[in-house]
Amino acid sequence: MRRVIVDSAIYRDGRRTDGPADLSDALEEARATGDAFLWVGLHEPSGAEFDHVASEFALHPLAVEDALKAHQRPKLEVYDDSLFVVLKPIVYEPESDRVSSGELMVFMGDSFVVTVRHGEGAPLAEVRRRLEADPEVLKHGPTAVLYAVSDAIVDHYLDVAGELQVDLEELEADVFAPSGSNPANTAERIYTAKRQVLEFRRASGPLAGPMARLTAGAVPFVNERSQPFFRDVNDHLLRSNEQVEGLDRLLSDVLSAHLAQMGVRQNDDMRKISAWAAMAAVPTMVAGIYGMNFEHMPELHWVGSYPAVIVVMTGIVVALYRVFKRRGWM
C-alpha cells in the first residue's frame, strides 16, 4: 500500500497533523474531533490494493469499479456514504503539439477525501501544497479539496486552449501563404489538430453537468457555502468550452479553405495541361496529314509546301498561346 499511497494526512482546522499510519485508525481519529478530515492520495492502484481502501472508507462497489478501470467520462454520482466525482485533466506536449488526458477520481464522505489518479496530468501535489499554505481554505474540509482540484484542472484547460490557439494561427499562416506548403502535410496537420481538439472536448465538455450541480448546491457531502467558489470554476469551464468549440469551428473552416485552394490549384494545373495539349495537337494533326502514304495528294509537289506548312503550324501555335495567356491559362 505504501507504493500506491502518494500522500496521506489528517487536517485539523486547516493544518496538517501527524496521524496513525493505519487508515482505519486515522479515519477514526479524524471523526473523533469533528473538525478534522483525512486526505488519502492514490496513484493507479490495483484491484487488490484498492480493496483495502474501499473497505476502510465503505466506498460503493460501482464507484470503486469505475476508479479502477478508468476511461470514464467526467461525472458526479451520489451514493449513500460518499460522493464520487470524475475529472479529466489534460496535458499539452509542445514537442509534438499533442493533447493527452488523464483521470482523477475524488471520493468524499464523512471526514475523508480519497483521490485516485491515473496518468500524469493531475496536479495533485501542487494543489496539496497550495492548500496546506492556505489554512483558511483548507479548514472547510473535503469540499475545499474538491474545489481546489477542480479549479486547478479547469484553469489548466484555459492554458491548453491558448496553446491550441497558437497552433491554429500557425496552420492558418501556412494555408494562406502565397507559395503554400506541402498540401498533404498541411491536411495531415489540420486533421491532427482536430483530433487534439476532440480529445480536449471529451475532457471538458461533459464536466459542465457536474459543475452545474455543484454550483446549484444541495449536493450531499459538499459545504453549502462553497457555491460561489464552484460558480467561479464553472465560469472558467464555460469559457474554456467556448474556446474549444471556437477552435473546432475555425479548424473546420481552415480545412475547407485548404481543400478549396487545392481544388483551385488543380484546376489551374488542368487548364495549363489542356492549353499545352491544344497547342501540341495542331502540329501533330498537320504533320499526320502529310505523313500519310498517298500517291496523289494535293500540294504534294509544291516547292514551298514544307516551309509554308511550318509557318502555318507555328502561326497557329503562337495564336493559341496568346489566347491562352490572355485568359490566364498559361
Side-chain angles (χ1 to χ4, degrees):
M1 287 301 300
R2 292 294 93 193
R3 183 176 63 85
V4 298
I5 296 181
V6 179
D7 201 351
S8 177
I10 296 176
Y11 295 88
R12 181 172 288 105
D13 196 27
R15 300 186 182 277
R16 182 174 183 137
T17 61
D18 295 330
D22 183 77
L23 294 180
S24 179
D25 295 338
L27 180 59
E28 184 178 351
E29 179 178 325
R31 287 172 172 171
T33 58
D35 61 347
F37 71 95
L38 173 64
W39 181 0
V40 179
L42 307 176
H43 179 236
E44 297 183 353
S46 65
E49 292 166 335
F50 197 52
D51 283 344
H52 174 67
V53 177
S55 62
E56 293 292 344
F57 294 98
L59 304 180
H60 197 278
L62 293 178
V64 171
E65 181 181 359
D66 289 343
L68 289 174
K69 290 185 176 180
H71 302 294
Q72 303 294 318
R73 288 165 54 90
K75 61 182 179 179
L76 185 152
E77 295 179 346
V78 179
Y79 297 98
D80 294 336
D81 299 321
S82 63
L83 176 71
F84 179 57
V85 181
V86 178
L87 304 168
K88 292 183 74 69
I90 58 175
V91 176
Y92 177 81
E93 301 172 3
E95 296 81 7
S96 59
D97 296 335
R98 181 174 176 269
V99 174
S100 59
S101 63
E103 289 192 33
L104 177 62
M105 287 77 171
V106 181
F107 293 88
M108 289 175 51
D110 180 17
S111 301
F112 75 86
V113 56
V114 177
T115 53
V116 182
R117 176 167 59 93
H118 292 269
E120 301 298 331
L124 281 182
E126 179 61 29
V127 169
R128 191 185 285 259
R129 283 194 295 269
R130 189 165 65 247
L131 281 174
E132 290 177 352
D134 192 355
E136 289 300 316
V137 175
L138 192 55
K139 71 180 182 180
H140 291 90
T143 301
V145 177
L146 178 60
Y147 158 71
V149 171
S150 304
D151 184 57
I153 290 175
V154 172
D155 283 347
H156 193 59
Y157 285 171
L158 296 173
D159 297 335
V160 174
E163 297 287 351
L164 292 176
Q165 179 67 43
V166 173
D167 292 344
L168 174 58
E169 292 173 357
E170 294 176 356
L171 274 175
E172 286 180 323
D174 289 343
V175 169
F176 296 105
S179 58
S181 57
N182 184 358
N185 183 50
T186 301
E188 181 181 357
R189 290 175 59 197
I190 295 174
Y191 277 112
T192 300
K194 286 185 72 67
R195 291 291 301 175
Q196 307 316 310
V197 171
L198 177 61
E199 184 70 19
F200 195 140
R201 295 182 67 176
R202 287 174 177 171
S204 64
L207 187 58
M211 279 299 143
R213 291 180 61 184
L214 291 170
T215 300
V219 178
F221 308 106
V222 176
N223 193 318
E224 294 181 356
R225 292 179 294 178
S226 64
Q227 286 180 291
F229 298 95
F230 285 112
R231 189 179 301 121
D232 179 69
V233 177
N234 190 51
D235 289 342
H236 290 177
L237 178 63
L238 292 176
R239 183 161 36 129
S240 171
N241 287 337
E242 289 174 356
Q243 289 183 350
V244 173
E245 291 175 1
L247 288 172
D248 189 55
R249 288 194 298 269
L250 285 174
L251 280 170
S252 298
D253 294 340
V254 169
L255 179 59
S256 299
H258 174 65
L259 295 177
Q261 285 187 336
M262 289 184 62
V264 170
R265 293 192 187 106
Q266 289 175 349
N267 288 336
D268 290 340
D269 294 340
M270 288 302 299
R271 285 188 297 181
K272 291 178 181 179
I273 294 173
S274 300
W276 284 109
M279 288 188 295
V282 172
T284 300
M285 180 186 66
V286 175
I289 293 174
Y290 277 86
M292 289 189 289
N293 297 319
F294 288 101
E295 182 178 355
H296 302 287
M297 187 173 181
E299 306 98 20
L300 189 60
H301 299 289
W302 291 359
V303 176
S305 61
Y306 179 76
V309 168
I310 297 297
V311 169
V312 170
M313 289 191 297
T314 303
I316 294 175
V317 170
V318 171
L320 288 174
Y321 178 82
R322 290 181 176 178
V323 172
F324 293 145
K325 187 72 173 179
R326 187 164 51 248
R327 293 184 179 182
W329 286 30
M330 301 294 293

